[in-house]
Amino acid sequence: MSNHANLDTLYRQVIMDHYKNPRNKGVLDDSLTIDMNNPTCGDRIRLTLKLEEGIVKDAKFEGEGCSISMSSASMMTQAIKGQSMDTALKLSSIFSNMMQGKEYDDSIDLGDIEALQGVAKFPARIKCATLAWKAMEKGVNSEKES
């Protein structure tokens, strides 16, 4: 088996692990709530964020959707917890570029998120992978504007 095939298998395992055992599933009380959906495939997400003093103190999600959208939400909530809002937005920008097959800043360790790289080869699935990230951007940007 080639290294590329091994990597694809590993990435699939990471995605399925996050799908079957989602991290940060649930709803936060007294938090910013963002509801978004992807009408083309039926994915929907409710993201709740606790943002204090420019920091993402906590993040949880619930929703329904394919393995790509739900595992991406799980990975995203893990990645942004404890980060500054600016870092969370930077991670979202990096992720968006990765999904579009563009050059991206690889100086930041994306951890499990890198497992979603292969989604870029399937344009119809990019919206699935970016749904939670778009919800987070919307929430953080609304907080920054208030």
Side-chain angles (χ1 to χ4, degrees), residues 42-105:
D43 292 340
R44 70 173 184 80
I45 187 167
R46 167 167 284 172
L47 179 66
T48 52
L49 299 171
K50 193 157 298 251
L51 305 171
E52 294 173 9
E53 299 172 9
I55 304 292
V56 181
K57 295 285 188 185
D58 205 354
K60 289 194 180 291
F61 78 97
E62 63 178 12
E64 298 171 350
C66 66
S67 60
I68 299 292
S69 69
M70 294 296 104
S71 60
S72 182
S74 173
M75 293 175 195
M76 185 272 297
T77 57
Q78 270 195 312
I80 66 168
K81 277 172 70 166
Q83 301 290 344
S84 71
M85 292 189 325
D86 288 338
T87 299
L89 291 173
K90 181 176 170 87
L91 283 167
S92 188
S93 173
I94 290 168
F95 184 72
S96 179
N97 285 338
M98 184 174 82
M99 285 298 99
Q100 295 171 46
K102 295 179 181 174
E103 289 291 314
Y104 61 92
D105 178 356

Side-chain angles (χ1 to χ4, degrees), residues 13-27:
Q13 289 171 345
V14 169
I15 290 167
M16 289 311 294
D17 179 51
H18 276 272
Y19 179 61
K20 291 177 179 173
N21 308 295
R23 284 46 151 203
N24 306 304
K25 186 102 183 204
V27 177

